[in-house]
Amino acid sequence: MRPAWASLFLLALLFLVGLGALTVGRFSVPTGEALRALLGEAPVMQQRLIVDIRLPRVLLALIVGAGLAGAGAALQFLFRNPLAEPNLLGVSSGAAFGGILMMIFVGDGWALILGALAGGLLALAAVVWLAGGAVNRGMNDTLLLILSGIVMSALFSACVSLMKLLADPQNQLPSIVFWLMGSLASADSSRVLIALPTIGGGLLLLWTLRYQLMVITVQGAHTPRLMQAQRLALLAIGVIAAGSVAVCGVVGWVGLVVPHLVRMALGQNHRHFLLHTVLAGASYLVVVDTLARTLSAVEIPLGVLTALLGAPMFAGLIRRIRRSL
């Protein structure tokens, strides 16, 4: 499929998926009524259901899915490794620790969001500092960055476990556990307004760096300009990962699975791969979140469902690669 047609197809798919998500749920709404609600012409109850409850959730799923998928694709370019994904840098664990810290000692809401953002950026800064030689000299080998991410992820995961021990088991601990599993149940317009500049800004930065990332994939970061692009890309990926945890908790597998699905379906045209992955990631998470809130009477945590769907998909991909060897 030509890249332009592929982009149009993914845009149309995203529109249809988003519109479908607005219509399904415990109270189904016909497509025409959902469109009328978006235009402000529906009855008051349907207006509130579509515009005030479902629309912010669909928009947040779209933004987070696009961000995580784009960050995964960029990290795979950067590390020249198809197994790279945003959680590899330890940012998600740092953001989880920062959010829990605020939940225990300050409260949820804005404190949780700001704490998660601060914790994620702190983890990213620690990873870059620990692997400073590799980043500053543009070394081809990304082993130091990966090892630094593993170290920071383990450290902040241990801190998260410690915070669970300190949390009130009656009031705080259930909220912490549910938040860590990922959910868009608390989506509202304020969270959309937080996610849009953080995750959207990170994606915009990655988009401006797409050609440098293509060059790094082929030959590594050997020049000052490419080294600067590498650092900026790491910053963008860290902001996206931290922003995602801040608004909906820890959601894994999106940045790993979606780029591979795009490669399988549309090929790896480097010029358009990032755009296609972002659009596919947005549709993917909207679908998964819709399943999370409609498959059972009790909402399934988003992170649990992405793992349940992502692990078998990736296992199938591994078998396909093995047969081709």
Side-chain angles (χ1 to χ4, degrees), residues 54-127:
R54 289 184 183 171
L55 182 59
R57 182 161 183 162
V58 170
L59 290 176
L60 195 60
L62 185 155
I63 295 169
V64 172
L68 291 176
L75 203 60
Q76 290 169 17
F77 277 145
L78 203 61
F79 284 1
R80 291 181 287 172
N81 187 334
L83 298 180
E85 57 105 17
N87 292 338
L88 190 66
L89 293 177
V91 176
S92 296
S93 297
F97 171 68
I100 292 174
L101 200 64
M102 290 296 169
M103 289 176 72
I104 292 176
F105 296 108
V106 180
D108 54 7
W110 278 95
L112 183 152
I113 292 171
L114 293 175
L117 284 170
L121 294 178
L122 175 64
L124 178 65
V127 168

Side-chain angles (χ1 to χ4, degrees), residues 253 257 305-318:
W253 287 92
V257 170
L305 197 55
T306 55
L308 289 175
L309 293 174
M313 287 182 187
F314 205 69
L317 177 65
I318 291 173

Side-chain angles (χ1 to χ4, degrees), residues 4-18 275 279-280 283:
W5 286 109
S7 301
L8 289 174
F9 169 76
L10 290 171
L11 279 171
L13 178 64
L14 179 58
F15 174 77
L16 293 175
V17 164
L275 174 62
L279 294 174
S283 297

Side-chain angles (χ1 to χ4, degrees), residues 17 26 29 83 95 99 147 158 274 302 310:
V17 164
R26 294 185 181 180
V29 179
L83 298 180
L147 291 177
L274 183 61
L302 189 59

